[in-house]
Amino acid sequence: MRIDILRVLPELLEGPLGHSIVKRAREKGTVEIFIHNLRDFSTDKHRRVDDYPFGGEAGMVMCIEPIERALDHLQSKRSYDEVIFTTPDGLTYNQQEANRLSTLENIIILCGHYKGVDQRVRDHLVTREISIGDYVLSGGELAAAVIADSIVRVLPGSISDETSALSDSFQDNLLSPPVYTRPAEYKGWGVPPVLLSGHKARIEEWRHEQALEKTRMRRPDLLDRLEESED
Ligand code: ADE
């Protein structure tokens, strides 16, 4: 899979996408991630990519020209399955969308910035608008890093223990059950005895019950989704 990210602020992306699972997946060639500077596609002598809004509202707006030039440059080389724009008023991101994106071959993520982007970019150049939650970040770079990380995590080969990504919270619309490691007793705080029993079936049953209970308490909306998908 190939992910191209168009951004204005470099530092916010290079760090998160240069460590741990994503770093190893890039080194192994499981995923290729290219980060491009939108300013390189500006024709302005100061390399500006934003301008004042028509109608006089506060804040700067990202211009359509450098964005279209950057997209043209990439799309002339290969075809892309999605051009994603990160924005707080997009569709709320979730695990199902991460799974879906991980099945695609080439995607572009355009990081939103300033007060917004010229609406014509959204109307004509972008195929999907994604929000990573109901809060506003200073820029779309962190959202792009979140999206890229969650995609890479579920790509086959990214995680050596194949089942590990599949047992993440949300994969089956359930939150993950609690986990424990040594010591079995710490300051008088014990571990649920079933986990020390060596009884595989009972452990699995306990885990499922715990996952259900946690989801019921914290995210009952996920259980509604589970019922809908079973209907
Ligand atoms: N840009 C600013 N806030 C955002 C959010 N919540 N999701 C995606 N992009 C954003």
Side-chain angles (χ1 to χ4, degrees), residues 86-88 130-133 135-137 139-140 143:
T86 57
T87 175
I130 292 180
S131 160
I132 62 161
Y135 42 80
V136 179
L137 302 164

Side-chain angles (χ1 to χ4, degrees), residues 50 53 57-62 87 112-117 122 138:
D50 62 328
E57 269 242 349
M60 302 298 277
V61 175
M62 286 170 74
T87 175
H113 231 262
Y114 308 106
K115 191 70 190 159
V117 65
R122 302 174 71 160
S138 308

Side-chain angles (χ1 to χ4, degrees), residues 146-170:
V146 167
I147 294 167
D149 183 294
S150 61
I151 293 172
V152 173
R153 196 178 159 72
V154 290
L155 285 176
S158 282
I159 298 182
S160 49
D161 172 11
E162 295 274 10
T163 60
S164 173
L166 294 176
S167 62
D168 282 347
S169 276
F170 305 112

